[in-house]
Amino acid sequence: MNRWRLIAAVVGSSVAASSFGQVMLGQIDDFQDGTLQGWAGAANPENVATGGPAGAGDRYLRLTAHGNIGIGGVPASFNLTQWAGDYSAAGVSGVTAHMNNFSSVDLHMRVVVFSTSGDRWTSATPVILPAGSGWQSASFSLAQGDLVQVLGSSTYEFTMANVERLLIRHEVNPGPGGTFQAGQIGIDNIQAVPEPASLAAMALACAFLRRPRRV
Ligand SMILES: [Ca+2]
């Protein structure tokens, strides 16, 4: 293969990859456009016009679950659009957000990664939001050691390269389903981030590039 054919093949494969999913490092859902930004599910997702972490005029996503067994019983929401795709290629290995537990009980929040083959990997350790928490920063690692496979048998590598949806939910113990609980939670500034080690590597690379050159 000559050089130009090789370049064409590489460009072609990256176009094919980008048509599958849209997840991008650094993307952030702040809900300021007044929409749900693709966050869906049966827990009555709403865009609330004010009262987010930055106060007046800061919009956020609010979920309300009835707590009974069945549809809409779990404080949860999923996204099939900008949170689907190839996390490995995009360099996304974590999710951060602001969360506010308006409920009278603690909520155990986890992120769940679904693959296109039906696999589910959930946070090994939840972020526990106490009842009436106020706005808190929440950080979820998507590194293999920080996730538990609760459905399917595909590899971690396959799942992260073929994400069908990202789900955020209350889940007391890791499992394929969430935990039924009457409750309400606010979520804002959901961001795709690299793992801390990658951040450190990027900072080091930047420092190296900024270093004066010897002549
Ligand atoms: Ca906001």
Side-chain angles (χ1 to χ4, degrees):
M1 190 183 290
N2 72 34
R3 191 169 54 164
W4 295 112
R5 282 194 177 198
L6 180 64
I7 291 170
V10 169
V11 169
S13 67
S14 66
V15 168
S18 67
S19 65
F20 158 66
Q22 300 83 8
V23 72
M24 289 172 57
L25 190 61
Q27 70 181 33
I28 184 163
D29 296 348
D30 63 10
F31 304 100
Q32 293 308 109
D33 68 358
T35 75
L36 298 176
Q37 296 196 248
W39 289 92
N44 193 31
E46 298 171 280
N47 184 305
V48 179
T50 188
D58 189 9
R59 292 178 167 272
Y60 66 95
L61 176 72
R62 187 175 66 193
L63 310 173
T64 307
H66 53 65
N68 300 317
I69 294 173
I71 301 290
V74 178
S77 187
F78 62 85
N79 189 296
L80 296 167
T81 53
Q82 74 272 23
W83 289 92
D86 186 339
Y87 281 52
S88 302
V92 176
S93 51
V95 178
T96 57
H98 288 104
M99 295 184 172
N100 188 347
N101 180 7
F102 301 113
S103 320
S104 56
V105 294
D106 296 355
L107 292 178
H108 297 231
M109 303 307 296
R110 301 178 198 252
V111 296
V112 190
V113 178
F114 287 53
S115 83
T116 51
S117 294
D119 303 273
R120 296 184 191 179
W121 294 71
T122 188
S123 307
T125 305
V127 170
I128 299 178
L129 293 175
S133 66
W135 287 103
Q136 308 274 332
S137 295
S139 181
F140 303 92
S141 167
L142 300 179
Q144 185 167 6
D146 294 321
L147 297 176
V148 178
Q149 188 166 20
V150 288
L151 207 62
S153 57
S154 302
T155 62
Y156 169 79
E157 288 75 16
F158 173 86
T159 300
M160 296 310 289
N162 298 277
V163 174
E164 183 252 356
R165 73 179 66 188
L166 185 75
L167 172 69
I168 299 174
R169 73 178 170 203
H170 168 62
E171 185 184 313
V172 173
N173 296 304
T179 305
F180 297 109
Q181 175 62 55
Q184 191 174 62
I185 184 170
I187 305 177
D188 200 6
N189 303 319
I190 309 167
Q191 188 168 18
V193 299
E195 61 182 326
S198 300
L199 277 174
M202 279 166 63
L204 193 66
C206 288
F208 180 78
L209 288 171
R210 279 201 304 270
R211 208 171 52 167
R213 285 194 184 173
R214 275 189 203 164
V215 287

